Amino acid sequence: MVFTIAACFELPSGAAAAASAAGLAAATASPLLRLGGAAAVTISTPGVLLDESGAAELEESATVRPGAAEVLRQLLSTGGKGPAVYLLTHVEGDVGEAVVRGALEHAGLVGPARGQLPPHRLLFCSTPEGKVSIVRQVEPDVHFDAQWETIWELQRFMKRLVYVSAAGGDVPGQASSNVQRTASFAGFFGR
C-alpha cells in the first residue's frame, strides 16, 4: 500500500522570501560562525549564563538562563571542532562555588558527556583582579563578560571582548574597537 501526502501552500516572493530565508538561516546557523574560528573562549558566568550578576548574590542562588544554556550546549556539542570553552565565576567563597557548580551541573552543562563542559574547565576566583588574571592566562580569542570593569581591564590584551549588558545604551568609558556590546549571550548568537 502506498500513501501519498500532498500539501498546497503559497511561496513568499520578493522581499518576503528573502527575509524568510535570512531568518531561517540565522535561526539555524551554528554559534561557531559568530565566533570566527576562535580556538578558545572564556565566559564569565554572572550576568551572562546566570541571572545573578554579582559574587554576593551567588552565595544564595544561581539561576541558569535557558537561552544561554542552549547556545552553550551547541558550542560544547561540536565534537572537538569548536573552541575550548572555559566558564569563569567570581565568588566570595566555597559556598558560592558550590551553588554555581550545582546549578550548572543540574542544568546539564558540566559533566563528562559530549555536549557538557569538562569539570576542569569550570574556573573560580575570589576577586575581580583574579578573574582578569585567569582570562589573561587562558588567552582566549573571545571573552564574554557582564562586568564593565573586567572588559575595561582586558581590552588592551584580548583580541575580542563581548560586553553583555541588557541595560542598553553606550558602554561606560572609551571602548576599543575590539569590544562589542550585546544585550544577552543568546542574543549575540541570534537567539
Side-chain angles (χ1 to χ4, degrees):
M1 185 179 288
V2 175
F3 292 98
T4 303
I5 300 173
C8 296
F9 54 92
E10 185 175 330
L11 292 173
S13 61
S20 176
L24 179 62
T28 58
S30 166
L32 294 178
L33 296 176
R34 283 287 283 154
L35 293 176
V41 174
T42 51
I43 303 166
S44 179
T45 62
V48 179
L49 291 179
L50 303 174
D51 284 338
E52 295 76 13
S53 60
E57 293 175 83
L58 294 172
E59 293 293 306
E60 300 293 324
S61 67
T63 307
V64 178
R65 295 179 173 174
E70 177 189 332
V71 171
L72 182 59
R73 277 189 201 95
Q74 288 179 333
L75 286 174
L76 296 170
S77 296
T78 59
K81 296 178 184 170
V85 176
Y86 297 85
L87 299 183
L88 177 57
T89 307
H90 168 208
V91 295
E92 289 184 346
D94 293 342
V95 171
E97 180 177 337
V99 168
V100 171
R101 187 180 300 277
L104 295 171
E105 288 174 353
H106 181 72
L109 295 174
V110 175
R114 182 173 181 206
Q116 292 183 313
L117 183 81
H120 69 275
R121 289 194 184 158
L122 180 57
L123 310 173
F124 294 90
C125 61
S126 60
T127 65
E129 296 82 10
K131 180 168 61 165
V132 169
S133 179
I134 291 171
V135 172
R136 289 188 63 197
Q137 290 291 319
V138 173
E139 296 182 336
D141 296 303
V142 184
H143 174 70
F144 291 86
D145 209 302
Q147 302 298 319
W148 175 249
E149 296 78 17
T150 303
I151 296 290
W152 181 258
E153 291 295 324
L154 289 171
Q155 67 181 342
R156 62 188 174 167
F157 303 109
M158 299 290 108
K159 295 176 187 175
R160 188 170 171 199
L161 297 162
V162 181
Y163 176 49
V164 179
S165 173
D170 294 330
V171 295
Q174 184 64 32
S176 302
S177 61
N178 61 334
V179 178
Q180 293 177 263
R181 190 196 159 282
T182 185
S184 71
F185 182 69
F188 178 81
F189 295 98
R191 307 279 191 291

